[in-house]
Amino acid sequence: MAIKIDTPLSDRVVSSLKAGDEVSMSGVIYIARDAAHKRLVSLIESGKDLPFDPRGQIIYYAGPTPPKPGQVIGSVGPTTSGRMDPYTIPLLEQGLRGMIGKGYRSAAVREGLVKHRALYFAAIGGAGVLAGQCMKSAEPIAYAELGPEALWRVEVENFPAFVVYDIHGGDLYEEGTSKYRATEDLK
Amino acid sequence: MSCVDVRRIDVSEVTDAVHKLCMKVTCKLPPENIVALQRAMEEEKSPQGRQALARILENHRLAGELMQPACQDTGIAVVFVELGQDVHMCGGDLQQAIDEGVRRGYTDAYLRKSVVDDPLFERINTKDNTPAIVHLQMVPGRSVAITVVAKGGGAENMSGLAMLTPASGAEGVRKFVVEQVRKAGPNACPPVIVGVGVGGNFETVAFLAKKALLRPLGEANPNPKYASLEKDLLGEINRLGIGPQGFGGTVTALAVHVEAHPCHIASLPVAVNLNCHVAPHCTAVL
């Protein structure tokens, strides 16, 4: 059964969630991927303000398809998170409390999650239609010229995701894989 | 057939065909892929894996119903053209005609534009998903088969190639393929489809691996030795435990397709091209 959580994330919620938990998320989240991250981190490095206050917030790694007439947003499943690893620590230092994507994170990011008390969630890769239907409003707040790589503020309702890395060192990918692994020489 | 009996096809017909294929390729997924996902749902032992598969199946059903892309990554358009050698393409440039079809299709179907002009320095989005990557192959006959693959970046990035030596043999190929899927883990959106090329040379083996992904899902290699290799690889990959979305489980791949080609006495090239479970591609024949 999915655990209902609201954004921004409180420290109590962050601390209570464990790798493998399924959550149903509601509230505001921000969408950004490669090119937007490069710009966000260069703002941080030059001491400038970000286009949004990251404290307690969640970034969803995604690049939506254009909305059809009458739609809030198009298809918007997660992209591979590892590409954002080099940009993640500075954002955690600014108070970011969660990221949603798919796939492995680097050791440095996993340590950063524990240190800064933040969570990494996986959404279902390739299920872009379902993800889009959870979004009740969407507005690009910066970098519109980047097209699908713009920075968006979206309001989600019951957005499904799984906790992959928690702040206690839990790792859904490792735990899940070792449970079902049946190849002796790879153990 | 006499040498003057040449069929003329105006390239605008190619544009129209590519346009139509782009309109549906990411929404209407190949029916055999849906069947494979349903079978995976029955076979998967992990509850989280089944949960992920149920969402994926629901998503893909809705995509077809709403004619909306199943996945937001609607790819770079990879277009395979099998050009009958008795066809004369006229009325314009073939690459431009294909690009025009991609431009119209990606715009009219509200697909994402995911191509940047320069790969290394400027990386500016071309805003119409062109240019397409075109693979042109001459074949006997008077028809033209056009296949559009909307190849996403996630699974593509997890692909790999190795120049093995003949002494490595089938065991070397097996190890490389399984290790490639293991390293990809959750990144390639499992359950994946594994395209494997064996033989040829450096550039041919990568092409073979991609071509292998076009074979209808679950259709075995006609050579029994390669069919048996495909079966063994699928079994071994599914024992890795990665499972749907990497959450742990017994279905990591839906199929393994191997394509082989003659090669040099000194060589044993092998390549792995991964496809996610969406695997959008479709074909039209002119």
Side-chain angles (χ1 to χ4, degrees):
Chain A
M1 196 60 205
I3 302 165
K4 287 195 175 290
I5 60 170
D6 293 317
T7 65
L9 292 175
S10 70
D11 191 66
R12 189 185 56 76
V13 168
V14 168
S15 167
S16 70
L17 291 172
K18 303 266 185 320
D21 285 346
E22 188 188 358
V23 300
S24 175
M25 209 179 274
S26 297
V28 168
I29 62 174
Y30 294 87
I31 293 181
R33 51 174 289 152
D34 310 57
H37 271 79
K38 195 175 174 185
R39 293 195 185 185
L40 291 173
V41 169
S42 99
L43 286 176
I44 293 172
E45 281 166 357
S46 55
K48 294 190 180 124
D49 284 343
L50 296 177
F52 69 103
D53 182 352
R55 283 175 297 177
Q57 302 297 345
I58 294 177
I59 292 182
Y60 179 28
Y61 301 140
T65 60
K68 285 184 171 183
Q71 276 186 324
V72 165
I73 199 164
S75 299
V76 57
T79 194
T80 312
S81 309
R83 294 195 316 274
M84 269 54 77
D85 285 350
Y87 307 114
T88 298
I89 300 296
L91 284 159
L92 288 171
E93 285 167 353
Q94 298 288 312
L96 188 73
R97 293 305 287 269
M99 289 149 278
I100 312 167
K102 66 170 167 103
Y104 298 124
R105 306 306 304 266
S106 66
V109 168
R110 295 202 302 271
E111 281 165 27
L113 293 172
V114 174
K115 184 176 169 197
H116 298 282
R117 301 179 69 78
L119 295 167
Y120 172 57
F121 302 90
I124 306 288
V129 179
L130 289 182
Q133 288 184 342
C134 297
M135 296 183 183
K136 301 303 156 194
S137 73
E139 56 166 328
I141 56 168
Y143 318 141
E145 69 280 11
L146 294 177
E149 297 204 74
L151 174 65
W152 294 72
R153 179 187 191 274
V154 297
E155 215 175 321
V156 296
E157 206 173 274
N158 300 322
F159 182 90
F162 290 81
V163 179
V164 174
Y165 303 129
D166 62 32
I167 63 164
H168 313 287
D171 176 345
L172 168 61
Y173 291 145
E174 176 48 38
E175 290 158 24
T177 300
S178 44
K179 194 166 170 188
Y180 292 95
R181 189 180 294 145
T183 311
E184 283 306 321
D185 57 340
L186 286 161
K187 271 197 172 156
Chain B
M1 185 182 291
S2 96
C3 283
V4 291
D5 190 13
V6 169
R7 179 181 171 204
R8 292 164 69 89
I9 296 180
D10 193 290
V11 289
S12 64
E13 286 187 50
V14 174
T15 298
D16 291 343
V18 170
H19 178 197
K20 282 194 191 122
L21 291 170
C22 290
M23 291 297 289
K24 66 174 181 183
V25 65
T26 66
C27 313
K28 292 266 183 219
L29 305 182
E32 62 272 19
N33 295 20
I34 303 296
V35 170
L37 283 165
Q38 283 161 341
R39 196 177 331 114
M41 183 78 181
E42 287 163 23
E43 289 170 5
E44 179 54 61
K45 292 199 170 63
S46 131
Q48 274 156 334
R50 280 200 302 275
Q51 175 95 332
L53 287 168
R55 286 239 165 81
I56 287 167
L57 278 163
E58 168 70 357
N59 182 76
H60 293 0
R61 185 186 66 76
L62 279 171
E65 224 173 86
L66 305 171
M67 286 308 277
Q68 187 183 333
C71 178
Q72 75 292 337
D73 189 352
T74 52
I76 187 165
V78 183
V79 181
F80 290 84
V81 181
E82 288 184 350
L83 180 64
Q85 67 183 41
D86 297 319
V87 172
H88 174 209
M89 285 285 175
C90 49
D93 177 298
L94 183 60
Q95 173 79 43
Q96 281 175 15
I98 291 169
D99 284 347
E100 185 56 28
V102 167
R103 185 174 292 122
R104 289 186 202 164
Y106 271 69
T107 305
D108 294 351
Y110 297 89
L111 306 190
R112 198 178 77 184
K113 321 302 182 291
S114 311
V115 176
V116 291
D117 53 1
D118 178 86
L120 189 54
F121 297 108
E122 289 82 13
R123 290 192 71 89
I124 294 170
N125 196 304
T126 61
K127 299 222 154 66
D128 59 7
N129 223 52
T130 68
I133 291 177
V134 177
H135 296 299
L136 184 62
Q137 198 179 358
M138 289 292 262
V139 294
R142 299 165 57 78
S143 59
V144 181
I146 301 171
T147 299
V148 170
V149 183
K151 191 73 172 74
E156 190 76 1
N157 281 355
M158 295 294 116
S159 304
L161 192 158
M163 301 304 284
L164 303 180
T165 57
S168 325
E171 181 59 13
V173 168
R174 186 190 65 77
K175 272 194 179 148
F176 177 76
V177 174
V178 173
E179 179 57 12
Q180 201 64 36
V181 178
R182 192 193 64 76
K183 279 194 299 192
N187 291 28
C189 275
V192 292
I193 300 155
V194 185
V196 180
V198 182
N201 60 3
F202 183 75
E203 80 277 8
T204 304
V205 77
F207 182 74
L208 289 173
K210 176 135 292 151
K211 263 247 145 139
L213 295 173
L214 299 182
R215 195 198 301 162
L217 202 60
E219 203 178 284
N221 188 303
N223 177 326
K225 284 185 182 166
Y226 284 97
S228 149
L229 176 65
E230 289 174 345
K231 211 171 147 226
D232 292 347
L233 282 169
L234 181 63
E236 192 160 351
I237 286 166
N238 284 337
R239 286 192 291 277
L240 287 172
I242 295 165
Q245 297 297 307
F247 297 159
T250 52
V251 183
T252 300
L254 298 173
V256 179
H257 294 170
V258 181
E259 291 293 323
H261 196 273
C263 71
H264 191 279
I265 49 173
S267 304
L268 179 54
V270 54
V272 173
N273 192 207
L274 294 180
N275 225 351
C276 59
H277 57 82
V278 183
H281 65 274
C282 56
T283 302
V285 178
L286 299 180

